Amino acid sequence: MAEELKRTYKSFTEWEEKSKQIEYTEETPLLDKDGTLLAKGWARRNVFTYDRNLSSPNWRKKEWDFYIIRNKNYIVELSFANISIGGYVCAKLVDLVNKCVIAEANYMYVGKESKYILPSKGDVPNYFRANVREAQVEFDTHETYRTLWFKAPCKGKMVECNFHMDIMPGLENITTVLPFKDNPTRYFMTTKQNCMPVSGTYRFGEEIYEFSKEDTFCYMDWGRVNTPYRLVWYWGNGSQYVYDENGEKHIFGFEITWAIGDESYATETCIFWDGKAHKIGAVDVEKFPKGRYMDEWKIISEDGRFNMTMTPYFDYESELNVLDVAGTHCHQVNGVWNGTVILDDGRKIEIKDLYSFCEYVENKW
């Protein structure tokens, strides 16, 4: 893709002008009174005013707060979702070394669309607490830190999660609003925020799994969407400490999502350096290994600023099927990332041995 860019455009400046992405910097209404999408583009923080009562049709509305806490040995996924016809709360622990799920406390509910109302923004101070059957969950966000707590029975044992993550001053994210062609009330709005060092524990019965801010980061995937029935997406995200030529410590992160909706207004692609967002162009896999997920994934952005190869070591495949009406099939491919990225000021940063993931998901819900 980078070579095609060079052949098509004479310079990066020319490419930039021809593929202008719309950035929002001021508070902007997301929806009109009839549910029509008003804003299409991206922002460095969530500036889109979301009124869930305007989202139409109501039964296609989906809302979630999803957190991935990971280092090279374990993944914890903590999530709460309200998809109008029901929802779920879940706390999962995945062992990346032994390639297995250690525990998955998952509690689903049907209906109750207005009982569990998640915050209208995810990147500002907010608070959410809910009880779903025997499960309890609490997400508490402040200016400089966020805490996550969960407790529920699982396979005759008790699962309890306690996590505390740092939010550096001025931490930016990428919030995107993607429309769907010929569907004026359909949209996909997410906030992806990473570069958050996190510590805490996942307790499963008598076993306690500890996480340290020295090698563990949290990625937030916050979504408020109204989508068509079938969706496919690709999503990769990661964070790592990086040392420059002077030995100074930095936090690097990236967010790449593609194949969702109409990307002519913005792409959900970004580099983060010490908490600041550096917007990049669309990405794609040089040769997508469908059916061969353990092959290398070489991912390059159209502007050449993101050039990374993921060498997989674990394809965590999962599937959920509810009466063959709603469901999801996911290949979350975990691997070691190596390559280079280019910041807004032109600096090229070499990334070595970053442990993270890229997933391929098919949805019907």
Side-chain angles (χ1 to χ4, degrees):
M1 185 179 291
E3 291 302 315
E4 291 178 5
L5 171 69
K6 292 176 184 176
R7 290 195 298 269
T8 304
Y9 303 124
K10 294 178 181 178
S11 67
F12 172 69
T13 302
E14 184 180 347
W15 170 83
E16 191 176 38
E17 287 302 314
K18 289 181 178 292
S19 59
K20 198 71 173 177
Q21 299 186 44
I22 299 174
E23 179 181 0
Y24 288 80
T25 59
E26 303 293 335
E27 198 70 23
T28 304
L30 180 72
L31 301 170
D32 207 342
K33 292 181 179 179
D34 63 356
T36 299
L37 182 63
L38 297 175
K40 305 169 186 178
W42 74 282
R44 300 169 193 271
R45 59 184 180 86
N46 191 346
V47 299
F48 304 104
T49 305
Y50 172 66
D51 183 344
R52 68 192 307 272
N53 296 317
L54 298 178
S55 189
S56 177
N58 187 61
W59 56 274
R60 299 298 314 156
K61 176 172 59 186
K62 307 171 190 74
E63 304 167 329
W64 65 80
D65 287 11
F66 177 56
Y67 297 92
I68 291 181
I69 295 157
R70 68 166 297 151
N71 51 36
K72 68 178 182 179
N73 297 320
Y74 297 102
I75 300 174
V76 174
E77 295 182 354
L78 273 172
S79 56
F80 193 99
N82 180 347
I83 60 172
S84 297
I85 60 173
Y88 67 88
V89 58
C90 183
K92 182 188 301 184
L93 176 63
V94 180
D95 185 334
L96 295 172
V97 177
N98 296 301
K99 302 177 182 178
C100 64
V101 177
I102 295 173
E104 182 176 4
N106 191 351
Y107 287 79
M108 303 180 69
Y109 64 90
V110 178
K112 303 180 181 179
E113 185 271 333
S114 296
K115 180 176 180 179
Y116 303 114
I117 300 178
L118 290 158
S120 60
K121 290 183 186 292
D123 60 351
V124 296
N126 64 77
Y127 179 81
F128 176 74
R129 184 182 177 95
N131 296 337
V132 179
R133 294 159 49 201
E134 296 97 335
Q136 304 171 67
V137 63
E138 181 182 87
F139 302 151
D140 191 9
T141 300
H142 298 257
E143 288 285 350
T144 58
Y145 69 94
R146 176 183 284 117
T147 61
L148 308 176
W149 176 77
F150 174 94
K151 189 174 184 179
C154 176
K155 296 181 179 180
K157 300 179 182 180
M158 187 63 69
V159 165
E160 184 169 5
C161 301
N162 281 283
F163 290 99
H164 182 286
M165 71 196 69
D166 296 336
I167 301 175
M168 70 177 74
L171 178 62
E172 296 180 344
N173 57 63
I174 179 166
T175 299
T176 53
V177 181
L178 304 177
F180 292 85
K181 291 181 178 179
D182 304 318
N183 263 315
T185 65
R186 301 292 196 271
Y187 59 90
F188 198 90
M189 177 175 68
T190 62
T191 295
K192 302 290 178 58
Q193 189 169 51
N194 59 6
C195 298
M196 295 182 290
V198 59
S199 63
T201 57
Y202 188 112
R203 179 192 292 270
F204 181 44
E206 297 303 314
E207 295 292 325
I208 299 176
Y209 300 84
E210 297 188 1
F211 296 81
S212 167
K213 293 178 183 178
E214 293 302 311
D215 64 355
T216 308
F217 289 91
C218 180
Y219 320 140
M220 180 185 75
D221 173 8
W222 176 98
R224 304 293 183 267
V225 310
N226 196 308
T227 61
Y229 175 58
R230 294 183 184 274
L231 276 183
V232 169
W233 71 63
Y234 305 79
W235 176 36
N237 193 297
S239 295
Q240 182 187 52
Y241 291 115
V242 174
Y243 293 86
D244 63 21
E245 62 276 9
N246 299 316
E248 294 182 0
K249 189 177 183 179
H250 303 269
I251 298 182
F252 163 77
F254 72 88
E255 157 59 26
I256 52 173
T257 300
W258 70 103
I260 299 177
D262 179 0
E263 296 182 309
S264 58
Y265 300 89
T267 59
E268 199 173 344
T269 54
C270 198
I271 296 165
F272 298 99
W273 186 253
D274 289 338
K276 299 302 179 184
H278 298 244
K279 190 72 181 71
I280 60 174
V283 303
D284 204 349
V285 183
E286 192 170 69
K287 184 179 180 182
F288 179 61
K290 189 168 185 180
R292 299 173 58 89
Y293 295 99
M294 296 300 289
D295 288 355
E296 283 191 346
W297 295 44
K298 186 171 179 59
I299 301 174
I300 306 174
S301 63
E302 61 186 334
D303 53 15
R305 295 178 59 190
F306 187 93
N307 190 334
M308 300 278 283
T309 297
M310 180 181 69
T311 304
Y313 61 87
F314 176 36
D315 175 12
Y316 172 41
E317 184 177 2
S318 60
E319 186 164 12
L320 174 66
N321 191 330
V322 181
L323 302 176
D324 206 29
V325 174
T328 181
H329 186 198
C330 175
H331 286 269
Q332 185 192 75
V333 182
N334 295 271
V336 183
W337 296 66
N338 287 275
T340 59
V341 299
I342 299 175
L343 305 181
D344 286 346
D345 62 6
R347 279 184 293 167
K348 180 180 284 190
I349 308 297
E350 185 175 6
I351 306 302
K352 296 180 180 180
D353 298 336
L354 187 157
Y355 285 81
S356 198
F357 72 96
C358 194
E359 67 181 25
Y360 170 71
V361 181
E362 298 173 349
N363 281 290
K364 52 179 185 181
W365 58 330

